[in-house]
Amino acid sequence: MLEDTHPALPKAGRPTREQAQARQVALLDTALEHFLDKGYESATIEGIAADVNMTKRTVYAKYPDKAALFRAAVRHGTEARAVGAEVIAAMRRHTLEDTLIAIAMLRIGLVGEPAGAKLQRLINTESYRFPDIFQTYYDIAALPTVRFLAQILEEETAAGRLAIGDAMLAANVFMSMVVSGPVRFILSGNMLTAQDIDRRVRFAIDLFLKGAEPR
């Protein structure tokens, strides 16, 4: 008698792990689209479930309420847009100024893309209701770059070219000082040309470096 070498098939009606994961991703993708297009208040579990061919009961089995689904969708969208460590490490250039410019342009570019801008606007709009989503976005999307920058600032301080006592604080100040200004313009719908962004970034970096010089 020949041995049956075929893998066991999933029981009828029971999805495989891969199928379940795919449906989970589809649910979060669809939920994020609804929240981005309609906002938190107007988006409904019913509409999201219908678009992903799920019952409300199935959605509620995974997320107890709309707030839980919203938080999960925002995290999902943030993770999808976050850049990896290799991309961040590639921002290092031959000079400190060029490295800082590359880091700033990376962050501005990610938010400046249409998908990134929509997600950031949603987070900004709903952060009063869900303060934790701002922290989630920072931890996933910004913190790896901040840590990378802090390491560079520590190296420059150790070499005597800068005098920074708290590298992580300085890196966060850099993001606020150099990146947040152009990003606010972009998110408000105002147009900034590439030349405008470059001029603003270089000017802010010059101020930042002058403030960090050894005395």
Side-chain angles (χ1 to χ4, degrees):
M1 181 176 180
L2 294 177
E3 182 180 355
D4 185 1
T5 58
H6 293 290
L9 294 174
K11 295 180 181 180
R14 300 222 21 207
T16 65
R17 178 178 297 180
E18 292 76 14
Q19 289 170 332
Q21 289 174 343
R23 281 178 62 78
Q24 171 71 0
V25 170
L27 171 59
L28 293 178
D29 282 342
T30 302
L32 183 61
E33 289 176 7
H34 277 244
F35 290 127
L36 289 172
D37 291 342
K38 302 176 182 180
Y40 177 78
E41 283 288 355
S42 297
T44 65
I45 295 291
E46 291 84 352
I48 294 167
D51 277 1
V52 80
N53 294 319
M54 285 185 181
T55 64
K56 287 194 299 179
R57 181 177 179 180
T58 300
V59 176
Y60 281 124
K62 297 178 180 295
Y63 303 101
D65 51 33
K66 187 167 73 168
L69 179 58
F70 176 75
R71 287 186 170 97
V74 168
R75 173 177 284 275
H76 176 70
T78 301
E79 289 172 343
R81 301 228 13 106
V83 296
E86 68 284 354
V87 174
I88 297 171
M91 296 302 102
R92 192 182 285 268
R93 302 291 190 263
H94 292 300
T95 69
L96 174 60
E97 181 181 6
D98 287 344
T99 298
L100 297 181
I101 291 171
I103 290 172
M105 292 303 186
L106 173 66
R107 294 297 309 149
I108 294 169
L110 289 170
V111 176
E113 294 174 359
K118 287 182 71 174
L119 178 60
Q120 189 67 65
R121 288 191 189 102
L122 178 66
I123 291 171
N124 290 350
T125 299
E126 298 297 342
S127 59
Y128 80 96
R129 193 197 315 262
F130 302 101
D132 54 295
I133 64 173
F134 186 84
Q135 188 66 46
T136 295
Y137 179 85
Y138 173 81
D139 290 343
I140 296 171
L143 185 56
T145 305
V146 170
R147 285 177 173 154
F148 173 73
L149 175 56
Q151 179 184 345
I152 292 173
L153 297 178
E154 286 177 346
E155 293 169 0
E156 293 293 317
T157 297
R161 291 185 288 270
L162 295 178
I164 292 176
D166 188 331
M168 279 296 292
L169 178 59
N172 278 296
V173 169
F174 174 90
M175 292 298 177
S176 297
M177 180 178 180
V178 181
V179 176
S180 295
V183 164
R184 281 195 295 269
F185 264 83
I186 293 169
L187 295 180
S188 66
N190 290 296
M191 292 296 297
L192 280 179
T193 66
Q195 292 78 10
D196 288 333
I197 294 174
D198 182 74
R199 181 171 60 86
R200 288 170 178 268
V201 164
R202 289 178 183 274
F203 183 81
I205 287 175
D206 183 60
L207 289 179
F208 177 82
L209 289 176
K210 280 184 170 59
E213 288 176 351
R215 298 293 190 266

